Amino acid sequence: MIVGSGPAGLTAAVYAARANLRPVVIEGLGAGGQLMLTTDVENYPGFPEGIMGPDLMVRFREQAERFGTEFVTADADRVDLAGPPFTADVGGTEYTGRSLIITTGASARMLGLPNEHRLLGHGLSTCATCDGFFFREQEIAVVGGGDSAIEEALFLTKFASKVTLVHRREELRASKIMQDRAFANPKVAFHWNAVVEDVYGDTKLEGALLRDTVTGATSELPVSGLFVAIGHTPNTELFKGQLEMDENGYIITQPGSTRTSVDGVYAAGDVQDHVYRQAITASGTGCMAAIEVERWLAEAAHAAESR
């Protein structure tokens, strides 16, 4: 069984299906992962002209299906890791697998703005590495005050003419070394004691409406790009209490492996990776997980025969 259907899950499915492991992918109602919310993908190898995020995921799925992957288009309500076999309850139907690959991903924390969903992928982004290239010589903003926000702001100075960091307090939460780098960069400006109330623009983002947390006054910040960098939440609620996780809820895997704390259960992609969070790295760990599952099942079969 594979729970999740982003780049990690579908790559795992391709490899597992080609290895004759008869994978069942519980893809969820929000099938395809974060790339379904992405417009142009220009950094995935093999697409020199770029490709739309949803189109890329359709190709992933078609490839997995071609080799015999079975798909369940519904959310898992409960997963039991007391096996093997492992079970997943999906709308009252129970699915079982001799092994399990978890690829449920992570969700970017959003601001909950009225126009957020409409402008996501049209100037509003949650990934500087993915989208910074599109903002060459433009004025943009980053929301946040931690290390990840500073890192994104500094990365974006490679492209943008000016990066304004919007933070709700008058001092950053980021580490001293990251703060020093930001303060020393002439392209980085700071808008203290401010929160984003909304974003505006017809077909693409044209600016952000800010509210001063001290005075309550509102103002407009005209920018063509706004990057939300307030963290990610791993989608691991199903597995809490059953798997070893770090303090932020990411599944812990063994170094150089996708093995989890439960024998026969593997995790790949953003659900266990809070560092890279790219489609290509998710695909890579999905491949690793499928190969490790194949070897684990072969060893289990051999051990059973020896008994």
Side-chain angles (χ1 to χ4, degrees), residues 285-296:
T285 54
C287 165
M288 289 168 60
I291 291 173
E292 288 186 289
V293 161
E294 183 183 4
R295 292 173 179 169
W296 183 81

Side-chain angles (χ1 to χ4, degrees), residues 150-166:
I150 299 296
E151 189 175 345
E152 298 238 320
L154 292 172
F155 176 81
L156 290 165
T157 60
K158 297 179 181 180
F159 311 101
S161 58
K162 179 182 179 182
V163 179
T164 299
L165 194 76
V166 179

Side-chain angles (χ1 to χ4, degrees), residues 145-152 173-179:
D147 278 355
S148 60
I150 299 296
E151 189 175 345
E152 298 238 320
R173 290 181 293 106
S175 59
K176 181 69 164 56
I177 189 168
M178 293 299 288
Q179 290 192 42

Side-chain angles (χ1 to χ4, degrees), residues 8 106 114 119 128 150 166 179 197 233 276 286 290 301:
L119 291 173
I150 299 296
V166 179
Q179 290 192 42
E197 292 278 273
T233 302
Y276 300 105

Side-chain angles (χ1 to χ4, degrees), residues 137-151:
E137 297 307 314
Q138 298 179 40
E139 292 193 8
I140 60 178
V142 173
V143 182
D147 278 355
S148 60
I150 299 296
E151 189 175 345

Side-chain angles (χ1 to χ4, degrees), residues 125 127-136 140 155-156 159-160 227:
S125 173
C127 180
T129 310
C130 312
D131 300 329
F133 184 79
F134 301 117
F135 295 92
R136 283 167 294 182
I140 60 178
F155 176 81
L156 290 165
F159 311 101
F227 289 79

Side-chain angles (χ1 to χ4, degrees), residues 37 54 211 284 300:
L37 303 174
R211 176 176 58 82

